[in-house]
Amino acid sequence: MQTSQKRHTSSSIQGFCHQTGQQIDPYGFSHFQLVNSNVLSDSGSQGTSISFETFKEEYFTLESSTATNGFVVYDSPAASISSNRSPFSPQVLHSCPSDHHHSPDNVYGTPVSGSSSADDNSVLNQKMKELEVFLMEPESDVTNSYDFCFLNGIHHANPEACSNLNKMVEMIPRLNLKDVLIACAQAVSDKDIQRAASLMQVLDRMVSVAGDPIQRVGAYMLEGLRARLEFSGSVIYKALNCEAPVGSDLMTYMGILYQICPYWRFAYLSANAAIQETATHEPVIHIIDFQIAQGNQWIPLIQTLANRQGGSPVIRITGVDDSQSFHARGGGLHVVGQRLSDVARQYNVPFEFHDTAMTCCEVRREDLRILPGEAVVVNFPYVLHHMPDESVNTTNHRDQLLRLVKSLNPCIVTLTEQESNTNTKPFYPRFIETLDYYTAMFESIDVARARDDKQRINAEQHCVARDIVNMIACENDERVERHELLGKWRVRFSMAGFTQCPLSSSASVAIRDLLKEYDKNYGLEERDGALYLWWKSRPMVTSSAWR
């Protein structure tokens, strides 16, 4: 692959923040120090730090808040950044089975993206071998130049020596970016530091936050690999918040993704259809939303129930939310409560709102204010995958929360999750799964906005990159993003005493109408009582209901 002429390199992410007036390199790549060989263990929690200095260029715009533990982020027109909240905002004894429903032609289901023919694959494999031999040759002029540039910083190196780096990349014009990413991940997994560092340098010249989908995903995957070397993934995950409206139209980063791809609207429509059908004749409905965000999901439901035959029910909503969402909506849960109360008043719907400003792990039955005789509805929109299970700690918050919800005797529980398998997979297969899944997602985003659209770049950086870095760089309790396939969720819900409820035909009709507003490559499948939202040949999201 040729080096991008308009290059927004991943490497310039280093040093994106300052603290107490001093520049902080979040990856510690300011020098090179290797103390022992355990640094690249798959556990991600043991070993000694290594550091590299990489290219320091301009930093992309990040509107950081004062709640970022002292981090202050500066504006600039270029470069990429690892950042915050999922656009979906997902261990037991064995990892989940791979998805057997992928099409044979599914390019995302294979470890390495294929070329158009066996000859092309042979050429690419040969180029990769040439690259690795070239990089690992101790007497190579380019390798020596690379070491000099990499260890001393591009701005301090001999320009003539560093120009050899371009020659190195030009030597392999047909190199496939996905192949190089996978080779680099394999080197990290094998604890081969020299090879990993060499491949990272090549990747620096291939990725771009304003490029095609694989280039954009590659930028964030590369930062995940770097963060893994420095054990800084957890710091990155916690440091930045999805916040602040972007531009004069006052759209939040989440709002941009909400508009340009159907993942959130799919969750809202399918869940609301199930709730509406189940609670048709209930006089008092208590909705417990474990990821209420800005409360947008409940506005159309309030409007629909206001016109219910026989009169509107009393609606009680309990919003569970952690402090991170404060930045996305510009205030605490009282902002959501006031907004929904205003809507209910407008439609003459008796309404109560209760905020439970805590994480899902902290919720207890008494926090939910259950009243006798009310119909309890529980909503899990892209949130259960953040709950640690028994593979993380003995408390097993994931299954514990499901048992708590079952004890409430709910009339319906709605679940929407990403159809991805990253929970218990070791580092290397998890890297492959993450690369495949997010390449598909970035393709789906790509059709809605121009490659150099600043709002799209901001949305991906602030709302997707953080999750990618966390899945690649972190292990144990520091890894928060732990997705499971629907088959695994079925096992968990069944063990907690739930029975699956087939989603109604009205949900399917609503989703199919929704997808008419989006690219033709989105598709909907009804399978085993659940709905699958597809992008091309890959299932991206599932929606199901339980009682």
Side-chain angles (χ1 to χ4, degrees):
M1 177 180 292
Q2 297 286 357
T3 303
S4 173
Q5 293 182 2
K6 184 178 181 181
R7 188 166 64 92
H8 298 256
T9 64
S10 169
S11 62
S12 51
I13 298 175
Q14 345 293 337
F16 68 85
C17 52
H18 286 239
Q19 187 175 27
T20 62
Q22 291 184 330
Q23 186 172 9
I24 302 295
D25 180 353
Y27 308 107
F29 293 166
S30 57
H31 61 287
F32 179 91
Q33 182 182 13
L34 173 60
V35 180
N36 66 44
S37 61
N38 295 325
V39 64
L40 294 181
S41 67
D42 275 357
S43 69
S45 59
Q46 301 293 328
T48 304
S49 170
I50 63 171
S51 300
F52 307 97
E53 178 165 341
T54 59
F55 298 117
K56 305 266 193 313
E57 295 182 354
E58 297 172 304
Y59 308 122
F60 194 81
T61 300
L62 292 173
E63 291 88 358
S64 176
S65 75
T66 57
T68 55
N69 300 321
F71 288 90
V72 180
V73 184
Y74 294 88
D75 295 347
S76 181
S80 65
I81 179 65
S82 307
S83 57
N84 190 37
R85 212 172 161 89
S86 170
F88 308 119
S89 278
Q91 318 179 33
V92 20
L93 297 179
H94 302 284
S95 61
C96 306
S98 60
D99 180 37
H100 298 296
H101 300 286
H102 288 182
S103 163
D105 298 325
N106 178 15
V107 299
Y108 305 117
T110 58
V112 180
S113 59
S115 299
S116 58
S117 68
D119 290 340
D120 287 340
N121 279 326
S122 176
V123 170
L124 288 173
N125 290 335
Q126 182 60 35
K127 292 296 183 183
M128 282 297 299
K129 290 178 181 178
E130 290 176 8
L131 170 65
E132 293 183 18
V133 170
F134 188 74
L135 290 174
M136 301 306 294
E137 172 56 52
E139 301 303 322
S140 169
D141 291 339
V142 176
T143 302
N144 293 335
S145 300
Y146 160 74
D147 289 338
F148 183 74
C149 295
F150 196 37
L151 304 183
N152 295 281
I154 188 66
H155 298 304
H156 305 290
N158 184 328
E160 181 177 353
C162 290
S163 68
N164 287 330
L165 292 173
N166 289 325
K167 296 178 182 178
M168 176 178 65
V169 176
E170 291 170 1
M171 184 187 73
I172 45 172
R174 295 190 64 191
L175 191 64
N176 184 287
L177 174 54
K178 188 173 182 180
D179 294 340
V180 184
L181 284 166
I182 292 172
C184 188
Q186 184 66 67
V188 171
S189 180
D190 293 342
K191 308 174 183 61
D192 189 338
I193 296 174
Q194 182 180 354
R195 179 167 170 257
S198 300
L199 290 169
M200 286 181 185
Q201 184 67 7
V202 174
L203 287 169
D204 253 337
R205 295 171 170 261
M206 301 177 74
V207 300
S208 168
V209 297
D212 60 31
I214 185 62
Q215 287 179 305
R216 305 200 309 267
V217 171
Y220 305 128
M221 300 294 283
L222 175 56
E223 290 317 309
L225 292 171
R226 284 187 169 129
R228 187 176 182 86
L229 296 183
E230 277 295 308
F231 307 114
S232 61
S234 182
V235 174
I236 297 168
Y237 191 77
K238 296 174 181 177
L240 300 174
N241 293 286
C242 185
E243 38 139 351
V246 179
S248 59
D249 55 5
L250 299 182
M251 287 194 302
T252 63
Y253 300 129
M254 290 292 293
I256 296 169
L257 292 180
Y258 181 90
Q259 287 193 358
I260 66 178
C261 50
Y263 301 118
W264 272 105
R265 295 176 70 185
F266 168 81
Y268 291 172
L269 280 175
S270 57
N272 283 2
I275 294 168
Q276 184 180 341
E277 180 174 293
T278 303
T280 298
H281 303 295
E282 298 291 346
V284 181
I285 302 173
H286 184 181
I287 300 169
I288 303 171
D289 190 344
F290 278 91
Q291 180 72 44
I292 197 164
Q294 301 188 53
N296 292 329
Q297 177 173 355
W298 308 119
I299 294 176
L301 185 65
I302 291 173
Q303 295 169 340
T304 299
L305 293 176
N307 298 318
R308 190 178 71 172
Q309 186 176 2
S312 169
V314 175
I315 299 178
R316 304 178 70 226
I317 295 182
T318 296
V320 179
D321 213 13
D322 59 42
S323 59
Q324 296 266 344
S325 292
F326 180 100
H327 306 282
R329 61 175 164 256
L333 283 171
H334 68 279
V335 174
V336 178
Q338 185 60 56
R339 183 184 186 196
L340 295 178
S341 296
D342 291 343
V343 173
R345 189 179 305 110
Q346 179 183 352
Y347 288 89
N348 297 314
V349 175
F351 181 80
E352 296 178 19
F353 182 83
H354 303 281
D355 64 80
T356 306
M358 59 182 67
T359 66
C360 295
C361 294
E362 299 170 320
V363 173
R364 301 295 179 263
R365 184 186 178 97
E366 54 268 25
D367 300 317
L368 302 176
R369 308 180 190 183
I370 305 299
L371 298 179
E374 65 184 9
V376 175
V377 170
V378 176
N379 188 44
F380 286 124
Y382 302 114
V383 66
L384 276 182
H385 69 270
H386 289 145
M387 303 288 291
D389 70 354
E390 69 275 15
S391 68
V392 182
N393 59 55
T394 56
T395 303
N396 189 2
H397 292 286
R398 187 171 296 197
D399 291 350
Q400 185 180 73
L401 179 60
L402 292 180
R403 291 194 296 270
L404 169 62
V405 169
K406 182 59 180 177
S407 73
L408 305 177
N409 193 28
C411 67
I412 192 76
V413 176
T414 55
L415 171 70
T416 311
E417 280 293 348
Q418 291 167 252
E419 186 69 352
S420 182
N421 181 14
T422 62
N423 184 19
T424 57
K425 279 190 173 183
F427 163 68
Y428 180 70
R430 186 170 75 245
F431 182 94
I432 302 299
E433 172 74 1
T434 302
L435 178 59
D436 289 343
Y437 185 89
Y438 283 95
T439 299
M441 181 192 291
F442 276 50
E443 280 191 1
S444 73
I445 296 173
D446 194 61
V447 298
R449 288 290 179 99
R451 294 275 168 86
D452 60 352
D453 183 89
K454 182 178 179 181
Q455 289 186 331
R456 180 202 55 73
I457 295 172
N458 272 333
E460 289 176 350
Q461 290 179 335
H462 286 263
C463 303
V464 186
R466 173 184 185 250
D467 292 0
I468 293 175
V469 171
N470 183 258
M471 279 183 281
I472 299 306
C474 298
E475 297 294 344
N476 303 320
D477 58 353
E478 291 186 342
R479 182 155 64 87
V480 180
E481 302 298 327
R482 293 177 169 273
H483 307 98
E484 292 185 322
L485 301 173
L486 179 57
K488 186 62 181 182
W489 291 116
R490 283 197 177 100
V491 173
R492 290 193 183 279
F493 272 77
S494 297
M495 290 176 62
F498 288 97
T499 301
Q500 187 175 352
C501 309
L503 290 171
S504 67
S505 59
S506 63
S508 299
V509 171
I511 299 300
R512 293 188 191 281
D513 287 342
L514 167 68
L515 295 184
K516 293 176 183 177
E517 303 176 24
Y518 295 92
D519 189 85
K520 65 181 180 180
N521 284 303
Y522 287 107
L524 182 68
E525 179 189 10
E526 301 175 57
R527 190 200 312 159
D528 299 329
L531 295 179
Y532 289 72
L533 177 62
W534 289 66
W535 170 257
K536 294 184 177 179
S537 56
R538 168 124 195 177
M540 301 296 293
V541 181
T542 62
S543 180
S544 57
W546 306 81
R547 67 162 57 96

